[in-house]
Amino acid sequence: MDTIILYVIAFGALLVSLFVDKQKTLTALKKALKALEGILPQFLTVLLVVAAVLAVLDTATISRVLGNSSGLAGILVASLIGAITLIPGFVAFPAAAALLAGGAGATQIAAFVSSLMMVGIVTLSMEIQYFGKRAALLRNALAWLFSILAAFFVGWVVSL
């Protein structure tokens, strides 16, 4: 129901914008479509990968590897996967929701998402080039540790 309300509000705001300044609204819509064209390939690729993973792995397997019962090992696995994965946030959150629905634990998914957003193993060489080896390694190590702490915090909050 909340989604429907948000769509109605967005559509109403679009109509108001069209009424106030039709040209600016049409320009904004064209820019939004261009942005969607840029985002769509990445989004569809990750959705296909997540769908394939969910099709191959049953709920029991996801629960065993990333579920609440996987404990610290599951948190570390999720965190390492997030650290080496390079996907944008707008794709990561729906993927995380699908994994949660598939039986993954909140703490494990928090570790995945937080390390995905903060740690950049794939981009480390570029980061070293701009910031230096010491600063890049220190930033990534501290970000990884913080992502683990954030995951434990999320797990604690969810358990309340």
Side-chain angles (χ1 to χ4, degrees):
M1 188 66 186
D2 293 339
T3 305
I4 294 171
I5 293 169
L6 289 174
Y7 278 126
V8 168
I9 291 170
F11 187 72
L14 179 65
L15 290 177
V16 169
S17 179
L18 274 169
F19 180 73
V20 171
D21 192 337
K22 185 177 181 177
Q23 189 58 37
K24 281 186 180 180
T25 304
L26 292 176
T27 302
L29 286 173
K30 287 178 187 175
K31 286 183 180 182
L33 283 174
K34 285 277 190 202
L36 180 64
E37 286 176 359
I39 290 170
L40 201 56
Q42 292 176 337
F43 187 69
L44 289 176
T45 301
V46 173
L47 283 180
L48 287 173
V49 169
V50 169
V53 166
L54 291 175
V56 171
L57 301 176
D58 60 346
T59 304
T61 305
I62 292 172
S63 292
R64 190 176 70 248
V65 176
L66 294 177
N68 288 326
S69 62
S70 67
L72 183 60
I75 294 168
L76 292 175
V77 166
S79 177
L80 290 174
I81 291 171
I84 61 173
T85 307
L86 183 63
I87 56 174
F90 68 87
V91 176
F93 292 112
L99 288 169
L100 275 172
T107 307
Q108 289 77 2
I109 295 303
F112 169 72
V113 172
S114 61
S115 65
L116 176 73
M117 295 293 122
M118 293 189 286
V119 183
I121 299 298
V122 174
T123 58
L124 186 59
S125 62
M126 182 178 66
E127 198 172 332
I128 289 171
Q129 187 178 22
Y130 284 98
F131 301 119
K133 187 175 185 176
R134 183 174 185 272
L137 290 174
L138 184 62
R139 189 205 69 77
N140 276 284
L142 291 174
W144 184 74
L145 286 173
F146 185 76
S147 73
I148 298 295
L149 290 174
F152 280 115
F153 179 75
V154 167
W156 174 70
V157 170
V158 168
S159 70
L160 293 178

